[in-house]
Amino acid sequence: MQQWISKLSEAEVGSVLPNEPMAKYTTWKIGGPADAVIVPENVQQLQHLIRYLHEEKIPWMPVGKGSNMLVSDKGIRGAVIRFGKGLEQVQFSGTEVEAGGGASFVSLSIMAGKKGLTGMEFASGIPGTVGGAVYMNAGAHGSDVSRIFKSAEIVLDTGELVNYNADQMEFAYRHSVLHERSGIVVNAVFQLIEGDRSAIAASMAAYKDRRRQTQPLQQPCAGSVFRNPPGDHAARLIEAAGLKGYRQGGAQVSEMHANFIVNTGQATAEDVLTLMHHIQTVVASKFEVKLIPEVFCVGER
């Protein structure tokens, strides 16, 4: 075991899991081992952990539900941080909701709907954490995090705890300031409005039915693989290029939704990357459109 992992195992930073397979933590069910997966239970443990990693110059990255991530077959060098139960708390106050970075974004939207609060219906099909959703400015059905975001507590890569408002987050399409300024969201506050419970439930049920009919949710996948180009849809371009059902090893362009790549059972990260490159090449050749990945490709190559 590497020395830094041994030291962290003896420190107050939460659970330390050395040489942990990342396939356990991604919705694609793909990924080699991380040097260590560390699970802090509160902000203090997280700050202590981040300070140590910063001082020792050990690379680290947060992983929530792994729903927007492809981990390489060789795994991840350094530390992977996953939040424990202590960082999943949720509290409602009037029309505001405060949630820990590790809380499920889907569950939060369901809770809000049951309380008659509208604004989070779009989140009912986004299978990530609150922290990941803020980081990505996650969105669907014409809305996104920036529409409801009020503030967030963030532990920066120095271990400092800061509070950012919406302007400081610099939200854009599937983007926030955290893409440039390394940090991890430990808590976020969202501003909702009062609505009709039955209307909210009906809207969320309609979204759920649409996903069930159009997305391959029974197979390991990572949601939309490419961003939608301005004025168009990646799925339309991929399907028009004749790539629906196209396979590379164990990875396949979904027959249900062309912007999803599914793991048919034994897919490797290299299979997925090769397939993604092929899709980009064919679409660029046929339509002169460059498809930009929406998923993050991480780990040792």
Side-chain angles (χ1 to χ4, degrees):
M1 187 185 297
Q2 297 183 47
Q3 187 177 17
W4 65 269
I5 300 176
S6 297
K7 286 186 176 180
L8 286 175
S9 297
E10 299 167 1
E12 292 293 326
V13 297
S15 302
V16 179
L17 308 172
N19 200 36
E20 185 76 350
M22 288 304 297
K24 293 168 58 175
Y25 303 106
T26 67
T27 57
W28 246 324
K29 306 300 182 188
I30 293 172
D35 286 343
V37 171
I38 305 169
V39 188
E41 292 291 342
N42 55 53
V43 175
Q44 291 72 32
Q45 287 187 349
L46 176 64
Q47 287 182 279
H48 183 43
L49 169 62
I50 296 294
R51 287 192 194 102
Y52 177 83
L53 297 173
H54 179 72
E55 290 167 2
E56 297 296 320
K57 296 181 171 56
I58 297 164
W60 62 271
M61 62 176 297
V63 172
K65 294 191 177 298
S67 58
N68 201 40
M69 177 178 292
L70 178 66
V71 178
S72 77
D73 300 313
K74 292 183 179 180
I76 298 173
R77 305 288 68 81
V80 169
I81 301 173
R82 280 177 55 86
F83 285 169
K85 295 291 185 183
L87 289 163
E88 297 178 2
Q89 74 285 350
V90 174
Q91 183 175 349
F92 286 85
S93 178
T95 55
E96 285 187 3
V97 57
E98 183 175 348
S104 163
F105 206 39
V106 170
S107 296
L108 187 63
S109 70
I110 293 170
M111 285 187 272
K114 288 180 177 178
K115 289 183 176 291
L117 297 175
T118 185
M120 288 201 74
E121 291 88 332
F122 76 93
S124 62
I126 298 177
T129 60
V130 165
V134 171
Y135 174 85
M136 276 295 294
N137 187 23
H141 310 297
S143 191
D144 58 31
V145 166
S146 70
R147 308 283 186 94
I148 58 174
F149 180 88
K150 187 172 182 181
S151 65
E153 286 186 322
I154 298 165
V155 174
L156 299 178
D157 57 2
T158 57
E160 179 187 4
L161 182 66
V162 298
N163 192 291
Y164 280 9
N165 61 29
D167 288 339
Q168 290 169 302
M169 288 301 297
E170 298 178 14
F171 287 123
Y173 179 69
R174 304 297 178 265
H175 180 275
S176 76
V177 72
L178 295 177
H179 288 222
E180 286 82 43
R181 179 65 170 103
S182 182
I184 184 167
V185 176
V186 296
N187 191 64
V189 179
F190 303 105
Q191 179 64 64
L192 307 177
I193 59 176
E194 294 182 356
D196 180 78
R197 283 182 177 82
S198 59
I200 295 168
S203 178
M204 292 173 73
Y207 290 156
K208 184 176 181 179
D209 286 343
R210 181 181 174 188
R211 287 194 304 276
R212 188 184 296 118
Q213 293 169 14
T214 61
Q215 298 179 6
L217 303 179
Q218 303 307 312
Q219 293 176 283
C221 60
S224 295
V225 174
F226 297 102
R227 298 182 180 189
N228 288 326
D232 209 337
H233 290 86
R236 187 197 72 78
L237 292 167
I238 297 167
E239 183 169 358
L243 294 173
K244 228 177 184 184
Y246 187 90
R247 293 182 67 136
Q248 170 64 44
Q252 180 182 34
V253 178
S254 170
E255 296 277 10
M256 292 185 70
H257 193 304
N259 198 20
F260 280 58
I261 291 176
V262 298
N263 178 355
T264 62
Q266 301 296 323
T268 64
E270 202 59 38
D271 288 341
V272 175
L273 287 170
T274 302
L275 182 52
M276 287 172 62
H277 179 70
H278 180 72
I279 292 168
Q280 289 173 304
T281 300
V282 174
V283 168
S285 174
K286 287 181 176 289
F287 306 112
E288 298 185 349
V289 175
K290 181 180 179 180
L291 290 179
I292 299 172
E294 187 167 311
V295 296
F296 292 95
C297 301
V298 300
E300 184 180 6
R301 294 298 304 275

